[in-house]
Amino acid sequence: MKFKGLKKVALCLVGAGLVSSLQLEAAQAPKQEYKPDGYDIVTIETPKDERFHVTGIDSDSDGVIWVATRFGDVWYYKNDTWFKFAQGLHEPTGLLIDTDGSLLVSQKPELTRIVDSDKDGVADIYQPVANDWTFNDNYHEFVFGPVKDEQGNLYGTLNLSHNNPDAFTMGAMGSPGGYRGFAFQVDTKGVFTPYAWGLRSPAGLGTSPQGEIFFTDNQGDWVPTSKMHLLEQGKFYGHPVSLVDVEGYTRESIKEMSVDTFAQMSEKPVVWIPHVEVANSPGNPEWDTTEGKFGPFKGQIFIGDQTQSNLFRVLLEKVNGQYQGAVINFMNKFQSGNIRTEFDVNGQLWVGQTARGWGAQGGKPFGLQKVVWDGTMPFELHSITLTETGFRMSFTDTLSSETVVKESLKAQSWQYHYSSSYGSPKVDLSTLPITNVVLLDDGKTIDVTLPLTSGKVVQIDFTGLKDVNGRSVSVDKVYYTLNQLLASKQQ
């Protein structure tokens, strides 16, 4: 199978289930402030009279912070002072410092390398790296990334159009062609390859410490709730309209395909991200590689959300060789919409912010903040892993054994309805009985026994648990995406 306009890459078909029997429940965002003990938000003063919507961010080995702003500028922050480095870009939404010190910036028409050749602190070379997609001057046709894998290949994602009269639509978003709704790769020789498709509004990419590429996608048509995927070549991620750029498909043939067929083709996310309760518009996944400088969450993933003005964690594991895991809120009450995250060499988590176009719980239209840790050990859920009889949940501090009882926890499960509708309510919502809770010898870990069914999201509330000092967690709900059971328990 070929791409229209290119010569290779086959379409891979992978099974996934389609659900029915809708049950409505109004999801609600947490109303209270939540943040772990020892963590604080620091607000960075941005340049005066600049609309400083931070839509791209990276840091270098000296701790200098580099940002791209939505209105086309690139700045760097050094010794508490801002310096403008580049300007005139078309709504950039991603920035990466390359190994040679140049910057790679994604803007709507192209991926651009920006260089300061005379070392005067101001860019003087703007070099196109890739522009093989079509930009139709549509407000929604953002380009996200780039990120880089261990071999030096670059990856980005291309948003679908919205309200484009020439676009092919099967819901709210559309594609007029030109690889809208695709992920792309640019190899070390500069060759552009359409890499995967079926994306909707994939607003964030990240590279894991193992060199794998992950991306988030925003809730909407054909995306029942926001999600995170492992990016793999030749895979289809659920939104049908991008198939117009895959050889063998036409607008007419795509419209004749059933929802069930699209569902069978679609890749499963590694996590579903419950709408409103955790996120509406998630940004890039950022791994904690600070080796403890940011506290006890080494190796975990942090993502910001533009609408909820919060941060949440993703806790991944491999089950039967495939990634799945959980999401849990981390901190809220940021000043604006959190769209970009970046750990610096000092273990601080920088958060780039914009509310333009969508709005955010935080009242400010733009900004830059960072999260710092003062060394205090918080009491929070650290990790959750699947067992044959339920879940093993580990905490950051020693639990009070008196609170480790069934009555301290409750659980429920549901799934989502895949369709052209804008999002999905919870489907087949059910309460799960917790039949046993056991405290393990380390004093920080419990085994929770409850019934398991693959294909569900499992929510566990652990409000009643306390640590030995009487502290309660700041976040008492975790959401596990149960794509698979352990091999010995598959149903």
Side-chain angles (χ1 to χ4, degrees):
M1 188 167 294
K2 300 177 181 179
F3 296 108
K4 298 171 184 176
L6 289 178
K7 295 184 178 179
K8 55 186 177 180
V9 184
L11 176 65
C12 298
L13 305 181
V14 177
L18 183 65
V19 297
S20 59
S21 179
L22 298 182
Q23 295 182 4
L24 297 176
E25 176 173 278
Q28 294 185 346
K31 296 179 180 179
Q32 78 282 5
E33 179 179 9
Y34 54 86
K35 72 180 186 72
D37 289 345
Y39 291 82
D40 288 298
I41 300 170
V42 176
T43 301
I44 306 301
E45 185 176 355
T46 57
K48 186 178 180 181
D49 298 327
E50 293 284 347
R51 294 179 292 177
F52 213 75
H53 297 255
V54 178
T55 48
I57 188 167
D58 202 358
S59 62
D60 63 25
S61 59
D62 296 321
V64 177
I65 305 300
W66 295 78
V67 303
T69 71
R70 199 163 178 175
F71 285 91
D73 298 331
V74 175
W75 297 73
Y76 64 95
Y77 186 65
K78 182 177 182 180
N79 298 326
D80 299 326
T81 304
W82 286 104
F83 302 89
K84 184 183 283 190
F85 180 72
Q87 59 187 354
L89 303 171
H90 194 327
E91 208 161 1
T93 48
L95 179 150
L96 175 70
I97 303 170
D98 208 351
T99 52
D100 62 0
S102 65
L103 302 183
L104 291 159
V105 178
S106 61
Q107 52 175 324
K108 283 183 169 177
E110 69 175 33
L111 176 61
T112 310
R113 186 179 300 278
I114 302 177
V115 181
D116 174 16
S117 65
D118 59 8
K119 307 300 180 184
D120 67 349
V122 178
D124 48 40
I125 296 176
Y126 295 74
Q127 178 183 0
V129 175
N131 54 16
D132 299 72
W133 56 88
T134 301
F135 172 52
N136 303 281
D137 198 27
N138 182 268
Y139 85 97
H140 202 260
E141 291 185 351
F142 303 109
V143 181
F144 299 109
V147 295
K148 182 184 283 192
D149 67 14
E150 290 181 326
Q151 290 73 44
N153 302 305
L154 299 171
Y155 299 85
T157 54
L158 301 165
N159 249 34
L160 293 176
S161 296
H162 184 240
N163 287 335
N164 182 341
D166 298 321
F168 170 53
T169 61
M170 293 180 65
M173 302 300 170
S175 173
Y179 305 119
R180 307 315 311 183
F182 271 65
F184 65 85
Q185 180 196 75
V186 180
D187 69 15
T188 56
K189 296 181 180 179
V191 176
F192 173 91
T193 300
Y195 194 77
W197 48 96
L199 288 66
R200 179 185 176 274
S201 188
L205 298 96
T207 305
S208 76
Q210 292 74 40
E212 297 168 302
I213 309 300
F214 291 78
F215 72 93
T216 62
D217 209 344
N218 285 194
Q219 183 248 29
D221 56 320
W222 302 101
V223 182
T225 192
S226 297
K227 56 183 181 171
M228 188 173 86
H229 282 280
L230 174 67
L231 181 63
E232 297 180 277
Q233 188 168 11
K235 298 297 179 68
F236 172 70
Y237 290 94
H239 202 295
V241 298
S242 60
L243 291 171
V244 296
D245 283 304
V246 180
E247 188 171 304
Y249 292 91
T250 64
R251 294 187 179 195
E252 291 73 23
S253 68
I254 297 167
K255 285 184 176 180
E256 292 174 356
M257 296 171 68
S258 68
V259 173
D260 186 59
T261 298
F262 293 135
Q264 299 268 340
M265 294 165 56
S266 298
E267 291 299 298
K268 294 180 180 179
V270 298
V271 290
W272 291 110
I273 304 168
H275 191 63
V276 178
E277 293 165 279
V278 177
N280 296 47
S281 309
N284 65 292
E286 176 73 3
W287 275 256
D288 179 358
T289 57
T290 66
E291 298 294 331
K293 293 179 182 178
F294 193 69
F297 305 109
K298 176 182 176 181
Q300 297 185 9
I301 303 165
F302 289 79
I303 302 177
D305 186 70
Q306 183 181 11
T307 303
Q308 296 301 326
S309 300
N310 68 343
L311 290 172
F312 61 95
R313 291 185 284 141
V314 179
L315 316 174
L316 288 186
E317 62 172 331
K318 276 192 172 180
V319 174
N320 307 325
Q322 302 295 315
Y323 284 111
Q324 63 184 41
V327 298
I328 184 169
N329 283 315
F330 183 68
M331 294 180 73
N332 66 349
K333 303 298 182 182
F334 286 82
Q335 66 179 358
S336 187
N338 296 346
I339 193 64
R340 293 289 170 256
T341 49
E342 162 69 12
F343 279 108
D344 70 10
V345 294
N346 300 309
Q348 303 172 116
L349 180 56
W350 293 75
V351 183
Q353 299 165 328
T354 179
R356 182 170 181 261
W358 282 265
Q361 291 291 326
K364 294 189 176 181
F366 54 78
L368 179 65
Q369 294 181 300
K370 64 181 179 179
V371 180
V372 297
W373 181 55
D374 67 9
T376 301
M377 183 57 65
F379 175 54
E380 302 293 342
L381 178 70
H382 179 267
S383 59
I384 180 170
T385 56
L386 183 65
T387 68
E388 291 190 351
T389 58
F391 295 96
R392 177 163 291 179
M393 302 171 64
S394 295
F395 291 80
T396 56
D397 203 0
T398 304
L399 291 158
S400 166
S401 59
E402 295 178 355
T403 67
V404 181
V405 294
K406 291 186 295 182
E407 292 73 20
S408 292
L409 299 92
K410 59 182 180 179
Q412 56 185 310
S413 68
W414 63 85
Q415 49 198 356
Y416 293 105
H417 180 60
Y418 170 72
S419 75
S420 62
S421 297
Y422 205 97
S424 167
K426 295 174 180 178
V427 176
D428 297 332
L429 181 65
S430 302
T431 299
L432 300 178
I434 294 176
T435 57
N436 198 21
V437 180
V438 176
L439 180 63
L440 303 190
D441 289 344
D442 69 354
K444 298 180 179 181
T445 303
I446 58 174
D447 278 344
V448 181
T449 303
L450 73 170
L452 300 171
T453 304
S454 61
K456 297 293 186 76
V457 175
V458 178
Q459 174 185 322
I460 301 178
D461 295 50
F462 42 95
T463 311
L465 295 178
K466 296 183 182 295
D467 73 357
V468 290
N469 298 308
R471 292 187 296 177
S472 298
V473 294
S474 68
V475 175
D476 59 6
K477 294 177 177 60
V478 63
Y479 308 85
Y480 188 99
T481 298
L482 190 57
N483 289 331
Q484 299 189 60
L485 306 182
L486 294 172
S488 60
K489 300 293 288 187
Q490 285 287 350
Q491 297 181 353

